[in-house]
Amino acid sequence: MIKLVALDLDNTLLTNDKKISQVNELTLKKLATTGVKIVLCTGRPINAIWHYIEQLGLTGADDYTITFNGALVINNTSRDVLAKQGLSKTDLVPLHDFCKANGFPMDILDFEQVYPVTDLVKSIYTLGGGIKFNPMTFDELPDHLYAKVVAAQKPAELDQMIAALTPELHEKYHIARSQPHILEFLSPTTDKAAGLHALLQHFGWDESNLMAFGDAENDAGMLKAASVGVAMANAIPEITALTQYHTGTNEEDGVAEFVNQYFKLNE
């Protein structure tokens, strides 16, 4: 029995202009009244998506969000942390060395702000929600826990970066392309699936109770883990191949389409 529905944002729940359509909003609110938990799963911090949380009414005492692609599971209202993991500054040294040697950018995110690394080439990374950007050299970085690293550049340049990644880097980090212009580096154990596992355990459930929607590489873990993993029609081919469940595009209210059909909300 599905008790929790996990939703990626960009190109999944959100339209191309970064909005939750009225159809998706009303469908998810209707589903929530049946007792099914709605959980947003994103690479962003919670402040950057707070308007979506409010729009969907996910502001109850028992509402949570998976942020930083699973590095932080946080209560929406109290901001109490349910689960947290990440990378130390020492962990980031091999990636910094690689980016410096090959002319690639780095934006390093802890759980509060973004550190654009100024001794490397400039990135094109942006983030809403009033998140502070604090540029500094790698040597100046505080020695504490970081959620992830983002390499943001034009898609063709990012293709070159991906082709240059070494086996050692693939072993040291969980690497996923979340958008055509963004490559993310997380700890090897960090994944949306890991965050969702912690949240499911919190509620006394497991992956047999999970439905997940996604479109990109950073959604692969939760789509494979979920008993019902749903690929959007606009998903990359690798994601489409992961699951037997498919729905319309993010522009066609694909989330609402599948939810209405599966849960028979209109009957």
Side-chain angles (χ1 to χ4, degrees), residues 2-7 31-32 34-39 58 60-64 199 203 205 209 211:
I2 299 301
K3 297 181 179 180
L4 191 153
V5 173
L7 297 151
L31 180 62
T34 70
V36 175
K37 298 295 293 183
I38 309 299
V39 177
L58 304 178
D62 227 10
D63 284 317
Y64 290 81
L199 185 56
F203 288 122
W205 306 332
N209 305 119
M211 175 185 288

Side-chain angles (χ1 to χ4, degrees), residues 3-79:
K3 297 181 179 180
L4 191 153
V5 173
L7 297 151
D8 171 57
L9 289 178
D10 292 315
N11 301 313
T12 298
L13 178 61
L14 304 185
T15 57
N16 292 343
D17 59 357
K18 308 295 185 185
K19 294 179 180 178
I20 300 176
S21 72
Q22 186 178 43
V23 172
N24 277 338
E25 175 189 343
L26 294 177
T27 298
L28 291 173
K29 285 180 174 177
K30 188 174 183 180
L31 180 62
T33 65
T34 70
V36 175
K37 298 295 293 183
I38 309 299
V39 177
L40 302 184
C41 299
T42 178
R44 303 178 220 171
I46 194 168
N47 287 349
I49 64 160
W50 185 249
H51 54 303
Y52 300 133
I53 290 171
E54 286 191 313
Q55 182 180 351
L56 294 176
L58 304 178
T59 53
D62 227 10
D63 284 317
Y64 290 81
T65 298
I66 310 298
T67 62
F68 300 103
N69 282 322
L72 185 69
V73 183
I74 188 169
N75 184 281
N76 293 352
T77 51
S78 70
R79 301 299 171 94

Side-chain angles (χ1 to χ4, degrees), residues 171-248:
E171 185 176 343
K172 187 164 185 60
Y173 309 104
H174 171 202
I175 305 172
R177 193 171 192 165
S178 57
Q179 296 188 48
H181 66 290
I182 292 179
L183 190 67
E184 306 202 11
F185 298 82
L186 305 126
S187 83
T189 57
T190 298
D191 188 276
K192 289 181 180 180
L196 284 166
H197 183 72
L199 185 56
L200 287 163
Q201 285 192 317
H202 170 72
F203 288 122
W205 306 332
D206 62 26
E207 280 71 12
S208 69
N209 305 119
L210 175 64
M211 175 185 288
F213 290 81
D215 73 288
E217 280 183 20
N218 62 327
D219 303 318
M222 70 175 183
L223 292 180
K224 287 191 289 186
S227 66
V228 181
V230 187
M232 308 300 292
N234 52 284
I236 62 172
E238 294 84 353
I239 292 299
T240 303
L242 276 181
T243 175
Q244 62 177 313
Y245 299 101
H246 305 93
T247 191

